[in-house]
Amino acid sequence: MSITEAPAGKSVGHSLRRKEDPRLITGRASYIDDIALPGMLYMAVVRSTEAHANVVSIDTSSALGRPGIKAVYTGADMSDLLAPLPMAWAPPGVEIKTPERWPLARGHVAHVGEAVAMVIGDDRYGVVDAAEHVAVEYEPLAVVVDVEQALEDEILVHESLGTNKAHEWTMGGGGDIEQALADSEVVVERRIVNHRTAGAAIEPRGVIAEYRAGGLTVWSSTQVPHLVRLFFAVQMGISEDKVRVIAPEVGGGFGGKLQIMAEETLCAWASKQLGRPVKWIETRSENMAVSHHGRDQVDYVRMGATRDGRITAFHANIIQDLGAYFGLLTPMIPELGAFVMTGCYKIPVVRTDITGVLTNKFFTDAIRGAGRPEMTHMLEVMIDQLAEELEMDAIELRRKNFIPAADFPYETPYGITYDSGNYEAALDRALEIVDLDAFRAEQASLRSQGILRGIGFSTYTEICGLAPSRAVGPSGFGLGIGLYESAIVRVHPTGSVTVYTGASPHGQGHETGFAQIVADRFGVDPAVVEVVHGDTAQGPMGLGTYGSRSLSIGGVACAHAAEKIAQKCREIVAHNLEANPEDIELRNGKFSLKGDPDQGMTLGEVAGCAYIDATNMPEGMELGLEQTLIYDPSNFVFPFGTHVCVVDVDAETGKVRVVRWVAVDDCGPAVNPMLIDGQVHGGVTHGIGQALYEQVVYDERGQLITGTFLDYALPTAEEIPSFETDRTETKSPSNSLGVKGIGEAGTIAATPAVVNAVIDALRHEGISYIDMPLTPMRVWQALEEARGRGDGPRATEQGVSLPPQGEGSAGSGPTRPEGGAA
Amino acid sequence: MIPGEFDYVVAGSVDEAIGLLAEGGADAKLLAGGHSLLPLMKLRFAHPSLLVDIGRISELRGVDTGDDSFRIGAATRHADLQVRDDMGLIATAAKQIADQQVRNRGTIGGSLANGDSAADLPGVLLALEGSVTVRSRDGERVIEAQDMFQGYLSTAVMPGEVITEVRIPALTGYGYGYEKFNRRSEDWAMVGVSALVKASGGVCEDVRIGLTHMASTPLRASAAEDALRGKPLDAENIAAAAQLAAEGTSPLGDLNASPEYKRHLAQVLTKRALTTASAA
Ligand SMILES: Cc1cc2nc3c(=O)[nH]c(=O)nc-3n(C[C@H](O)[C@H](O)[C@H](O)COP(=O)(O)OP(=O)(O)OC[C@H]3O[C@@H](n4cnc5c(N)ncnc54)[C@H](O)[C@@H]3O)c2cc1C
């Protein structure tokens, strides 16, 4: 990837260096833990050591007596809250049984780590010490951790709900699925486990709240500052004008900070009681236990086809582990996947059945891709499974069923309109890079040396750019609020520009990409366009960053606002040159006269008219160059592409290593190709992580086993290949820039490519499917089974039984932080 | 990840450290690289009242190269060993400890005193038949490798004793191999095998095999050693000996490896380590 300099007014399309990097790289950025306020107190949370229990009593006296402790509060103290923590999905016509979730437990705990008390004091270490002195007496209750066992309702997570089945959601299209499957010449059926993962942002969550003179200011490491403000108004009854929420530098989110955090309320409420600012910084152990998890489905999947490889029907019966409570979007996540159930293919009859189930684990919610990786995994793995059944090449099978480029916009059996696509082109490009014939020859020769090499494909499309308001809002899909995005573009008197966006980046590079978009509309250098975000006091209502929505909604909002100002600029210039506004065009950094480019004005000169010497303004025109705009698109966007994974499997140990990755993505015209590459690199790494390394595991007592990065195996640079990325560019008709999202695409594409590659390496050994994560032991177990020894891979599901604490070795044994705030 | 309260003092010499340790009582602990102790404190699994930092005592850092042995100061870092290719097996193993950041801090004395059977150096010391010198108010004594590791995270080093030195024989004429198996390159060993082979005329004159993480202490694979000693060093004999690598072991399972998988790994890794050691 080369960094390029761009001519004035033509920065879009160039890999400009990230404007945010100098401060990040030189340690000048201000994260939440860098902020200290005068008189600030610290909070530690006492967390349940039990996975399921009644709280009999809480004795806070010993903790209160410790030095520097100002207060200890329990759920009973917080009865003045006006609302429990929110779950923001109410699909019309669907009943959802929602357990009430309060920031501190009210007599009952349903997962390890549930907050039962908070300790406030003037020393960061002292509050953690004191938290260990809060004596909580539990009456343990039976625990259920396995999602299918929970469905039997023998052990209830919440007695009051009467069942663990929280909701059922069904969508069908194109006809009767049973009939279509019965009519299919071939049906392939699989049970696919998509295991629980963590977002694991390198900066854990953190909050500072200051309640002062009737107003509340909250700093939070969040992806959604405006939603946090909205919620505070509802929950604490403070009007929005008196609530300010600031997202400072945010060190990664991955969906984990698309949340209304219990700890935000705890800090704010405590600050109101004590009249001093209160800070909480999450520890890594807390982050693993109580920052929401993702995935965690058991999927029963059936795919029907004709003998010659036309897919006729596809059915997914999804059992979603929701955990013990709901976060902001918990039960909605699998449904988001349903909208791309047919992926890149023309599948006439489809049906999705989703059952949401409560268990004694922490809740699942949006983690990068949110529902779409799970669905894409099922679909792309099943394509390979079907290809094997049909004895057909998996690429040929894909091509045979692709929606042809000529068919766009294309309406799926679910009534979703794919905006644009050219799946063949992306696949062709990937194959050009890969050279499949050479690969197959190499594969054969390596196999004779005991190295099992395999190749796996994933041709994906996904739905993102979360908006339009009408489609997703209360009367549509049922979100508690419509999704759109806001922008303010403000040209200053000397011609530099400040842009405020309602999107709230946490690593993506909005400050660079959005600056390029705006700069080009004024013919200025992106260096003089400052992008501001993440402060509810500075800009209009905004919806934040998630669902790969920032560019195609927030970026387009900036573009439209800038275009309105540019039009005003043309009118001012036309007035000064005594020309028609239609005859003014941007050229070489100037609004200049068509045909006579020497005659023109720079943005600075125009701003001079608008702000400094009003005599040069057209009669009756408002002064200033500023525009506020809220953009709501007409449709979603559907990026797509082909990812290719090459793995080596050690035949003796089962260890898998990714040796090559080719990614051809299409997210429309590139604003900044380097930013796209960055998202693809991170996204694919996230997917490789799930496929091979990462898994959140609870034992049969509901204790979290993967409580640290020792056990929760994030891949490191050493495990990840050097990515080969390329792009095709197919414009989206959904927005004027033609752009689509790319933040989640890599994650969505990646896991099936890995699984398909491993199976390709092992098929000749008689192995046709293994559930993720493809750890060395599980692959070895599959090999043993295929060789007639052993029972095959152990279940990845929750509830494994392990030696009691202390018996494993510190090096690789389980660490079990038994609650507490350590 | 916030430790409990503790006091901290920097020792300027070994004698000072011994004195501070004795005065500090039962809950005083030495701090070397801190890369085993501090994580345990942050998880609140360890609660020392006093840390005596020996990481800056220069007499404890460095390697004395003798004719047929090496004397390694206890506070010598993994990073110091990883560049000493002349030291053979121990340098090869040191290179595979965690990542460079950890190797820059972690010390051999800390690793051996910690006695984690998943750590790399304890099994290596056992295979090398080295020794550990400790000093306390009562004087100095030498602990042979075979007596050092006594149980889960427990060693023969007594409270009040400071490891000052680790001695390993040069073992000139031995080939060596270290095979570490883990999920990610920075992880601890799921299983590790160190092998030392002395050949004469293609026949195995002596062989030593150390097993990492096959029990609560490091072990010697004596059945495999016995099977190979005196035999021609060909692929068949190596494979046959390796089949016995897990003989008599009953490793504990964990999230990533069942006992049977670990036994299998011990066999595969022993074969590979012996092959490397024999090729030298
Ligand atoms: C992320 C990570 C990954 C790691 N991976 C590996 C790995 O793959 N392989 C591996 O072998 N190790 C690994 N380690 C451990 C690392 O090698 C440690 O540094 C080492 O085990 C302990 O050495 P230390 O100097 O850090 O000891 P410390 O943590 O300072 O001390 C450990 C214990 O030894 C005692 N002690 C220290 N020095 C002496 C002495 N001279 N005399 C008596 N007692 C003493 C201390 O009191 C303490 O009880 C890893 C550590 C981390 C943090």
Side-chain angles (χ1 to χ4, degrees):
Chain A
M1 170 52 51
S2 61
I3 310 289
T4 50
E5 302 297 326
K10 299 225 163 18
S11 69
V12 164
H14 291 268
S15 290
L16 259 61
R17 284 202 173 85
R18 285 168 28 113
K19 296 182 70 175
E20 38 280 86
D21 280 347
R23 68 170 191 273
L24 294 171
I25 292 168
T26 59
R28 291 291 175 220
S30 186
Y31 294 89
I32 189 111
D33 206 11
D34 296 318
I35 301 169
L37 302 180
M40 190 168 73
L41 299 170
Y42 294 86
M43 174 183 78
V45 182
V46 179
R47 299 192 179 276
S48 173
T49 53
E50 295 291 327
H52 195 193
N54 289 321
V55 179
V56 180
S57 66
I58 304 175
D59 182 354
T60 62
S61 54
S62 151
L64 269 171
R66 292 187 59 86
I69 299 305
K70 295 281 180 280
V72 181
Y73 299 113
T74 68
D77 297 315
M78 296 182 78
S79 54
D80 59 335
L81 292 181
L82 300 177
L85 292 159
M87 193 284 278
W89 187 51
V94 177
E95 190 204 351
I96 303 184
K97 295 194 169 65
T98 301
E100 273 190 7
R101 180 167 72 102
W102 294 95
L104 291 179
R106 298 186 166 185
H108 175 248
V109 289
H111 65 82
V112 160
E114 184 166 350
V116 290
M118 63 172 144
V119 178
I120 318 277
D122 52 23
D123 175 65
R124 178 170 196 167
Y125 294 79
V127 290
V128 181
D129 292 338
E132 287 197 331
H133 288 80
V134 173
V136 185
E137 193 191 330
Y138 297 100
E139 178 202 348
L141 300 169
V143 171
V144 61
V145 292
D146 179 88
V147 70
E148 291 185 287
Q149 189 193 336
L151 210 42
E152 288 161 18
D153 275 346
E154 275 160 20
I155 298 166
L156 294 182
V157 176
H158 297 281
E159 195 72 50
S160 56
L161 296 181
T163 175
N164 295 326
K165 192 192 283 183
H167 81 299
E168 286 177 293
W169 188 91
T170 288
M171 194 164 208
D176 181 60
I177 192 74
E178 294 305 332
Q179 191 58 48
L181 285 164
D183 293 344
S184 299
E185 289 168 21
V186 178
V187 176
V188 177
E189 209 172 328
R190 290 279 179 274
R191 176 179 187 271
I192 294 176
V193 177
N194 202 302
H195 61 278
R196 189 175 271 245
T197 64
I202 293 307
E203 184 206 24
R205 301 176 302 150
V207 183
I208 303 171
E210 182 177 34
Y211 187 89
R212 196 207 298 203
L216 175 66
T217 306
V218 177
W219 291 258
S220 179
S221 185
T222 181
Q223 300 172 222
V224 286
H226 291 273
L227 293 184
V228 173
R229 181 182 63 162
L230 177 63
F231 176 68
F232 269 121
V234 173
Q235 190 192 36
M236 288 180 62
I238 313 170
S239 62
E240 275 168 282
D241 58 306
K242 299 209 169 41
V243 183
R244 177 180 182 186
V245 177
I246 301 167
E249 206 79 66
V250 176
F254 310 110
K257 295 170 182 170
L258 164 53
Q259 197 52 267
I260 304 295
M261 309 173 193
E263 293 83 359
E264 286 164 343
T265 300
L266 294 181
C267 288
W269 186 89
S271 176
K272 189 174 175 190
Q273 307 303 307
L274 299 168
R276 286 169 66 175
V278 176
K279 181 183 209 173
W280 169 75
I281 298 293
E282 186 177 50
T283 66
R284 180 59 60 191
S285 309
E286 283 179 304
N287 185 265
M288 294 311 297
V290 295
S291 273
H292 69 244
H293 299 149
R295 320 286 187 253
D296 211 354
Q297 304 182 342
V298 177
D299 305 315
Y300 292 88
V301 194
R302 292 179 294 167
M303 184 176 273
T306 60
R307 269 266 148 236
D308 66 354
R310 292 231 165 263
I311 303 171
T312 47
F314 187 36
H315 180 219
N317 182 10
I318 297 171
I319 303 175
Q320 173 71 45
D321 191 332
L322 303 166
Y325 296 97
F326 298 161
L328 193 60
L329 299 170
T330 298
M332 189 213 79
I333 301 305
E335 284 78 5
L336 203 50
F339 295 122
V340 282
M341 172 131 183
T342 49
C344 296
Y345 313 107
K346 273 199 162 165
I347 305 180
V349 186
V350 270
R351 182 179 162 105
T352 322
D353 289 299
I354 295 169
T355 308
V357 186
L358 294 155
T359 59
N360 290 117
K361 294 182 292 199
F362 194 59
F363 60 78
T364 51
D365 204 322
I367 294 291
R368 202 175 198 162
R372 291 153 290 159
E374 296 91 312
M375 185 54 85
T376 305
H377 189 78
M378 284 178 237
L379 177 60
E380 288 300 305
V381 164
M382 287 302 279
I383 294 279
D384 269 41
Q385 301 289 303
L386 177 64
E388 182 180 350
E389 178 71 29
L390 296 173
E391 295 177 11
M392 187 182 233
D393 179 67
I395 294 173
E396 193 194 326
L397 180 61
R398 285 181 166 84
R399 284 196 199 279
K400 199 157 194 168
N401 290 280
F402 271 164
I403 301 159
D407 286 13
F408 289 90
Y410 170 83
E411 191 179 322
T412 74
Y414 283 170
I416 305 283
T417 303
Y418 286 0
D419 55 346
S420 62
N422 188 347
Y423 308 141
E424 291 275 357
L427 176 58
D428 287 343
R429 181 71 195 112
L431 287 170
E432 253 169 59
I433 300 171
V434 165
D435 191 350
L436 204 51
D437 293 337
F439 171 83
R440 290 293 176 204
E442 191 184 24
Q443 181 182 40
S445 90
L446 284 171
R447 199 173 280 171
S448 62
Q449 299 163 40
I451 297 168
L452 308 181
R453 181 161 284 189
I455 191 166
F457 287 79
S458 168
T459 50
Y460 76 96
T461 184
E462 65 117 342
I463 181 171
C464 67
L466 296 187
S469 276
R470 285 172 191 80
V472 300
S475 311
F477 181 49
L479 288 178
I481 183 168
L483 300 178
Y484 43 85
E485 203 47 270
S486 64
I488 296 176
V489 174
R490 177 178 297 151
V491 179
H492 301 298
T494 60
S496 67
V497 185
T498 297
V499 177
Y500 181 90
T501 173
S504 200
H506 35 282
Q508 293 83 353
H510 295 25
E511 291 170 36
T512 309
F514 287 16
Q516 287 176 256
I517 291 169
V518 171
D520 279 11
R521 278 153 183 80
F522 297 135
V524 299
D525 186 337
V528 301
V529 181
E530 179 86 359
V531 178
V532 177
H533 49 79
D535 182 349
T536 62
Q538 290 192 46
M541 176 70 188
L543 274 301
T545 288
Y546 46 85
S548 303
R549 67 190 303 278
S550 289
L551 178 60
S552 68
I553 320 294
V556 174
C558 293
H560 287 189
E563 280 155 12
K564 287 200 167 183
I565 298 173
Q567 177 55 29
K568 186 170 176 179
C569 289
R570 277 191 285 273
E571 286 168 26
I572 296 169
V573 173
H575 173 76
N576 279 271
L577 301 181
E578 294 176 1
N580 275 325
E582 299 79 57
D583 293 333
I584 305 299
E585 62 177 9
L586 259 184
R587 182 180 271 250
N588 298 332
K590 269 189 176 177
F591 290 93
S592 44
L593 196 60
K594 275 185 194 160
D596 186 4
D598 288 347
Q599 288 215 61
M601 295 168 77
T602 63
L603 182 66
E605 288 161 351
V606 181
C609 300
Y611 288 107
I612 293 172
D613 186 355
T615 52
N616 295 323
M617 287 288 274
E619 195 56 39
M621 184 180 275
E622 276 176 21
L623 298 190
L625 294 175
E626 172 156 340
Q627 182 67 51
T628 300
L629 191 137
I630 289 188
Y631 172 67
D632 188 19
S634 58
N635 191 6
F636 303 93
V637 291
F638 297 82
F640 61 90
T642 294
H643 282 228
V644 189
C645 168
V646 178
V647 296
D648 281 350
V649 183
D650 181 330
E652 285 184 309
T653 65
K655 186 167 175 170
V656 177
R657 185 166 179 93
V658 178
V659 296
R660 192 173 182 202
W661 197 282
V662 173
V664 177
D665 293 285
D666 192 322
C667 55
V671 171
N672 181 324
M674 182 184 68
L675 294 182
I676 295 174
D677 275 357
Q679 291 299 311
V680 173
H681 290 191
V684 174
T685 300
H686 210 137
I688 293 175
Q690 177 176 15
L692 297 181
Y693 303 104
E694 302 173 39
Q695 183 178 21
V696 173
V697 183
Y698 288 84
D699 73 7
E700 75 284 3
R701 298 173 303 147
Q703 294 292 331
L704 180 65
I705 294 169
T706 49
T708 72
F709 280 164
L710 195 62
D711 315 291
Y712 189 80
L714 287 175
T716 71
E718 187 61 34
E719 280 72 48
I720 299 299
S722 193
F723 295 106
E724 299 165 58
T725 58
D726 204 347
R727 283 175 292 110
T728 57
E729 290 194 357
T730 307
K731 276 195 169 175
S732 170
S734 300
N735 61 69
S736 61
L737 300 181
V739 295
K740 304 179 175 189
I742 192 67
E744 297 160 295
T747 310
I748 291 166
T751 59
V754 179
V755 170
N756 289 340
V758 171
I759 298 305
D760 184 58
L762 301 180
R763 191 170 286 119
H764 69 287
E765 299 264 356
I767 293 170
S768 56
Y769 178 70
I770 311 175
D771 268 328
M772 300 186 290
L774 299 164
T775 66
M777 176 168 69
R778 296 171 50 74
V779 172
W780 173 74
Q781 285 168 339
L783 282 163
E784 285 289 284
E785 187 187 34
R787 293 162 185 165
R789 298 187 289 259
D791 310 323
R794 290 312 127 69
T796 34
E797 284 93 318
Q798 307 296 334
V800 294
S801 116
L802 281 164
Q805 184 184 342
E807 278 186 27
S809 181
S812 69
T815 48
R816 302 171 194 233
E818 302 269 319
Chain B
M1 309 294 264
I2 291 178
E5 217 174 323
F6 60 90
D7 288 327
Y8 170 84
V9 46
V10 177
S13 68
V14 175
D15 287 337
E16 194 188 345
I18 290 170
L20 289 165
L21 197 55
E23 284 154 30
D27 292 333
K29 273 206 158 281
L30 295 175
L31 178 74
H35 272 44
S36 287
L37 185 52
L38 296 184
L40 289 177
M41 289 167 62
K42 286 178 164 192
L43 289 165
R44 298 199 167 217
F45 291 163
H47 299 269
S49 57
L50 170 70
L51 293 184
V52 179
D53 189 341
I54 56 168
R56 301 175 203 190
I57 304 176
S58 51
E59 58 182 295
L60 282 181
R61 190 166 173 189
V63 180
D64 265 351
T65 309
D67 285 344
D68 52 4
S69 69
F70 297 98
R71 291 168 47 197
I72 308 165
T76 304
R77 310 260 164 102
H78 306 324
D80 302 331
L81 295 179
Q82 77 182 94
V83 294
R84 290 292 301 265
D85 285 339
D86 61 314
M87 294 177 74
L89 177 61
I90 202 163
T92 301
K95 279 179 198 156
Q96 298 180 47
I97 296 174
D99 52 30
Q100 196 60 51
Q101 286 97 317
V102 173
R103 294 193 291 271
N104 286 343
R105 294 296 306 168
T107 68
I108 185 169
S111 179
L112 296 177
N114 201 48
D116 189 335
S117 85
D120 296 284
L121 298 183
V124 167
L125 187 78
L126 201 61
L128 285 167
E129 299 180 359
S131 68
V132 167
T133 306
V134 297
R135 216 194 299 165
S136 70
R137 282 193 162 166
D138 304 332
E140 194 171 89
R141 68 188 180 106
V142 173
I143 305 168
E144 296 301 329
Q146 67 193 56
D147 304 323
M148 175 71 180
F149 306 104
Q150 305 202 323
Y152 174 69
L153 294 182
S154 100
T155 69
V157 180
M158 302 297 287
E161 285 183 329
V162 177
I163 300 178
T164 53
E165 190 174 281
V166 179
R167 286 188 200 209
I168 58 168
L171 295 185
T172 324
Y174 280 74
Y176 59 87
Y178 187 67
E179 288 289 331
K180 175 175 182 172
F181 189 84
N182 48 20
R183 291 185 61 197
R184 299 171 299 173
S185 71
E186 68 159 33
D187 281 333
W188 301 70
M190 198 181 274
V191 175
V193 174
S194 22
L196 288 151
V197 173
K198 187 173 191 190
S200 95
V203 172
C204 174
E205 195 171 296
D206 189 26
V207 54
R208 305 172 185 186
I209 302 166
L211 299 178
T212 293
H213 211 195
M214 286 296 288
S216 54
T217 65
L219 300 174
R220 284 284 285 272
S222 32
E225 292 175 359
D226 293 344
L228 195 58
R229 205 174 285 113
K231 297 255 173 63
L233 281 168
D234 56 29
E236 205 174 313
N237 285 331
I238 287 175
Q243 279 306 109
L244 303 173
E247 199 85 329
T249 66
S250 42
L252 288 165
D254 60 39
L255 194 57
N256 295 312
S258 64
E260 55 177 336
Y261 183 51
K262 282 186 160 189
R263 279 195 290 268
H264 167 74
L265 286 176
Q267 295 169 354
V268 173
L269 302 176
T270 298
K271 184 181 73 186
R272 292 178 182 179
L274 284 172
T275 306
T276 310
S278 310

